[in-house]
Amino acid sequence: VQLQASGGGDVQTGGSLRLSCAASGRTISDNVMGWFRQAPGKEREFVAAISWGGGFTYYADSVKGRFIIARDNANQDLSLQMNSLKPEDTAVYYCAADSRPRRTYIESDYSRRGLYEYWGRGTLVTVSS
């Protein structure tokens, strides 16, 4: 599976951006998918995840209520709508996919980097004050 994130850019505080993640190679419609981010000098951190069917979503506390993760399995696409952006949201954003089809996990598992086998190249989001 190859994943490619896009949609990053420069935006002012309070603005919005929509990131997309396109999958190719094989279907990911049966896989848990997530978004992570890495700010300069910091560890990569969890942002949001969505179950393979799309019925369950999970967010980091820092983005809850501002970001929305969604998936379009028919088009092999994952998105992250980011609203009310803050300077601390500045980071390279990565999409990722679990390799095990149709698996369900306990809530806390969705934020573990080890859950995800496939990672895309990131897209940079810069939020200026």
Side-chain angles (χ1 to χ4, degrees):
V1 175
Q2 291 80 48
L3 303 175
Q4 179 63 59
S6 63
D10 298 337
V11 64
Q12 291 190 327
T13 297
S16 298
L17 278 177
R18 183 181 183 275
L19 304 184
S20 292
C21 177
S24 61
R26 70 168 179 82
T27 181
I28 47 82
S29 59
D30 291 340
N31 301 83
V32 169
M33 297 195 73
W35 288 97
F36 287 73
R37 67 186 181 186
Q38 188 167 15
K42 294 188 176 181
E43 294 283 321
R44 191 172 299 188
E45 65 175 5
F46 169 76
V47 175
I50 188 166
S51 61
W52 62 269
F56 174 77
T57 56
Y58 186 58
Y59 296 93
D61 288 343
S62 59
V63 306
K64 200 173 295 183
R66 299 188 297 123
F67 291 11
I68 301 172
I69 188 172
R71 66 190 301 161
D72 178 354
N73 284 339
N75 292 303
Q76 299 275 82
D77 184 70
L78 175 74
S79 65
L80 184 69
Q81 178 65 41
M82 305 187 296
N83 302 318
S84 302
L85 283 161
K86 306 175 182 180
E88 50 264 44
D89 295 318
T90 294
V92 176
Y93 284 72
Y94 299 88
C95 57
D98 176 22
S99 64
R100 290 148 290 193
R102 301 203 170 195
R103 290 291 298 270
T104 57
Y105 302 97
I106 60 173
E107 191 172 86
S108 60
D109 279 346
Y110 284 85
S111 61
R112 290 191 301 107
R113 288 177 57 183
L115 180 70
Y116 302 89
E117 179 173 342
Y118 305 115
W119 292 83
R121 295 176 65 179
T123 185
L124 176 63
V125 173
T126 303
V127 185
S128 57
S129 56

